[in-house]
Amino acid sequence: MSLEHPNQDGAQMLQVERLIMSRPTEHNTTNLNLDRMHLILDLMGHPEESFRVVHITGTNGKGSTARMVEALVRAYGLQTGLYTSPHLQRVNERICINGQQLGDEAFVDAYEQIAPFVDMVDAQSVKDGGPAMSFFEVLTSMAIAAFADAPVDVAIIEVGMGGLWDATNVIDGDVSIIGPVDMDHMQWLGDTVEQIATEKAGIIKSRSTAVIGPQPHAAKVMPIIEEAVQRNHAQGLIRDGEEMEVTGRLPAVGGQVVDMRTPNGVYEQVPVAKFGRHQAHNALSALAAAEIVLPVNGALDGDLVAEALGGVKIPGRIEQIRTSPTIILDGGHNVNAAQALRDAIEESYDFRQLVGVVAMMKDKQVEEYLGILEPLLSEVVVTENSWRDRVMPAKELEAIAVGVFGRDRVTRRDSLPDAIQSAVDMVDAEDEVGVGYGQGVLICGSFVTAGDARTLLKEHMNADLAKPKSERV
């Protein structure tokens, strides 16, 4: 998928983006090996050895945890690299240095730096009967090159999918974070939680300390992770609920206040600028990881921890983007993410009416996802996002939604702008006091959906602000 960016400066950036995104996806790359990544790093002179690494996997929470680790490390004055996926609006978002995404010129430079090596790897792979490098392999190589060139002290790298065969697994993490492991990407990772856990435990290396988040299937998952720690002679194991724990939490304006215990210290009344129990546990894993990679003996400075975690913004993760009516975006797309979303909204908001706008990929557990959100939503508007190759057609999604919500609570709109407008009209029609109090719209089901909506709403708000105040919607 490639989005047009009419305000973007330079056709060169568009050309590079199209070249990268037209490559095979990781889903279509049938050779499950790291040969292409190892070869390109050989050709590049192994730039990944020039910085420390926090490597992060898990079914959910990877991006949030990554941003929290990055903020903590940067708060101590170290140079940071951050590599995350997917992007919401622009591909540049995936590669950040010192908290700022690569600008267009820097992104093009990163691509041009590795392009000759990509050509060589493509030629060798095809000669050996394999595929060309995937878009994710190319982006991963660009991130590594950009981080070495900066240079950064610590790179925080999020796995794209799984772990064992993921393109990022050519790096050896000083910390290997594994968040909650649950069912997702079953076509590629396996159809049991044990198989998925085995894939994700593949990021544990001999030089790494494994930091393990809360596990919804602990009895099945933890033995696999613990065996990987022992087999690979990892440096240590820190488990949520054992060596570290969330000892208390209270909802607060804009997020929550959390008490945490790690192997190195106790942290009380730490502001975390995100909603939900799951984000408290993400913050805990991030804190434990930062203790390992930062050159600090003992606990971290409480003021720096509060400043870092209190300022982390995570686009597309239970992100309130507008008020009157309240509009929330969430890119989670599996059962675990749906439950975390529902819990966070029930804890942090008091909606009398919440209308969902949902567009999902056809390879997801759609009925189960909708079933978890059903008690939360007054009505649902089903639609489609911009990824035409993978999105579930609105008509098919409508049939599933009717089975979950009933015919009278489901509306279909084939385009996302129409769906959002319909949802806003529904809450406006019920708004008795005229300020959106108690009413909201939740746009969810996919990171593509969240990204598309974010772009649409930003454009709408910019246009709205250009009008006289009396004419604004």
Side-chain angles (χ1 to χ4, degrees):
M1 179 188 67
S2 179
L3 298 178
E4 296 291 336
H5 309 298
N7 296 323
Q8 187 169 290
D9 182 22
Q12 199 173 15
M13 174 66 201
L14 284 172
Q15 182 182 13
V16 167
E17 181 184 5
R18 286 169 177 155
L19 284 171
I20 295 169
M21 303 306 282
S22 66
R23 285 180 165 269
T25 69
E26 60 268 40
H27 311 117
N28 294 331
T29 298
T30 55
N31 290 28
L32 287 179
N33 60 59
L34 298 176
D35 293 349
R36 293 172 297 281
M37 285 302 302
H38 282 304
L39 178 55
I40 197 168
L41 292 183
D42 285 343
L43 294 169
M44 292 165 63
H46 289 281
E48 80 283 2
E49 296 177 357
S50 65
F51 43 78
R52 304 196 78 188
V53 173
V54 177
H55 200 190
I56 305 175
T57 190
T59 302
N60 294 294
K62 299 184 293 294
S64 299
T65 305
R67 285 172 171 80
M68 291 178 184
V69 176
E70 191 277 334
L72 288 163
V73 173
R74 185 158 41 88
Y76 268 83
L78 273 67
Q79 305 297 300
T80 62
L82 176 65
Y83 181 54
T84 59
S85 62
H87 59 275
L88 286 180
Q89 295 169 276
R90 301 188 64 196
V91 68
N92 312 51
E93 299 167 19
R94 294 177 181 238
I95 306 174
C96 298
I97 293 176
N98 294 328
Q100 299 296 316
Q101 68 183 46
L102 289 190
D104 292 352
E105 183 178 354
F107 190 89
V108 171
D109 286 346
Y111 176 75
E112 291 180 341
Q113 181 179 339
I114 70 160
F117 304 122
V118 171
D119 290 341
M120 286 187 271
V121 173
D122 284 349
Q124 185 63 52
S125 183
V126 172
K127 180 181 177 182
D128 294 340
M133 292 185 73
S134 71
F135 81 83
F136 190 72
E137 289 171 333
V138 171
L139 284 167
T140 301
S141 303
M142 287 173 58
I144 291 171
F147 295 160
D149 192 52
V152 304
D153 301 304
V154 180
I156 300 91
I157 296 178
E158 177 188 343
V159 162
M161 183 176 66
L164 184 62
W165 301 114
D166 188 77
T168 64
N169 208 30
V170 290
I171 56 98
D172 291 337
D174 298 87
V175 183
S176 301
I177 299 178
I178 302 179
V181 176
D182 212 329
M183 304 302 291
D184 198 13
H185 299 301
M186 286 86 79
Q187 303 93 315
W188 303 281
L189 303 181
D191 56 8
T192 69
V193 73
E194 291 92 343
Q195 290 174 314
I196 294 172
T198 299
E199 291 291 323
K200 295 186 185 298
I203 72 166
I204 297 172
K205 310 289 178 58
S206 61
R207 66 182 275 185
S208 68
T209 298
V211 175
I212 313 302
Q215 297 302 323
H217 307 284
K220 296 178 178 180
V221 167
M222 287 309 301
I224 293 169
I225 292 174
E226 290 166 354
E227 191 276 331
V229 168
Q230 294 176 2
R231 182 179 70 254
N232 295 306
H233 306 289
Q235 298 298 304
L237 175 63
I238 302 173
R239 298 162 292 184
D240 193 310
E242 298 288 340
E243 293 80 12
M244 63 178 184
E245 67 175 329
V246 173
T247 56
R249 50 182 294 274
L250 288 172
V253 175
Q256 57 192 304
V257 175
V258 185
D259 298 328
M260 294 173 280
R261 174 183 62 82
T262 67
N264 286 1
V266 173
Y267 302 85
E268 296 181 336
Q269 298 293 289
V270 178
V272 175
K274 295 303 292 182
F275 299 109
R277 179 182 302 274
H278 64 295
Q279 293 290 10
H281 288 273
N282 290 339
L284 177 66
S285 292
L287 192 52
E291 288 181 343
I292 295 165
V293 295
L294 285 169
V296 176
N297 292 320
L300 304 183
D301 180 272
D303 290 339
L304 290 179
V305 169
E307 178 184 351
L309 294 181
V312 173
K313 304 299 180 186
I314 309 170
R317 277 82 165 180
I318 315 181
E319 178 189 16
Q320 182 174 323
I321 197 169
R322 186 173 176 175
T323 58
S324 191
T326 297
I327 299 180
I328 299 170
L329 306 180
D330 188 70
H333 50 249
N334 54 47
V335 170
N336 185 274
Q339 189 63 59
L341 172 62
R342 175 179 161 183
D343 291 346
I345 288 179
E346 288 178 339
E347 177 181 81
S348 304
Y349 291 87
D350 186 22
F351 288 116
R352 289 186 288 109
Q353 182 195 23
L354 182 63
V355 177
V357 175
V358 182
M360 298 188 70
M361 301 308 180
K362 53 191 172 186
D363 58 353
K364 300 302 177 183
Q365 295 173 288
V366 175
E367 184 174 4
E368 293 87 344
Y369 177 94
L370 293 176
I372 290 172
L373 295 184
E374 186 275 330
L376 187 69
L377 301 178
S378 311
E379 299 165 82
V380 63
V381 183
V382 298
T383 187
E384 298 177 14
N385 60 44
S386 62
W387 201 336
R388 299 307 177 197
D389 292 340
R390 287 186 60 200
V391 69
M392 174 171 280
K395 192 171 183 179
E396 293 181 22
L397 183 55
E398 178 185 28
I400 296 173
V402 168
V404 174
F405 290 87
R407 177 68 271 176
D408 60 334
R409 293 168 64 194
V410 178
T411 301
R412 188 181 97 215
R413 295 289 182 266
D414 291 336
S415 75
L416 184 60
D418 289 346
I420 295 172
Q421 188 60 61
S422 292
V424 170
D425 290 344
M426 289 176 187
V427 297
D428 282 349
E430 297 293 328
D431 191 352
E432 298 173 355
V433 291
V435 294
Y437 180 79
Q439 269 105 1
V441 173
L442 171 64
I443 305 171
C444 60
S446 165
F447 280 110
V448 179
T449 305
D452 290 350
R454 209 167 188 268
T455 299
L456 289 166
L457 290 167
K458 183 177 181 181
E459 290 173 353
H460 173 77
M461 285 187 285
N462 288 342
D464 208 30
L465 288 171
K467 299 177 183 178
K469 190 171 183 179
S470 60
E471 297 178 15
R472 294 177 191 172
V473 176

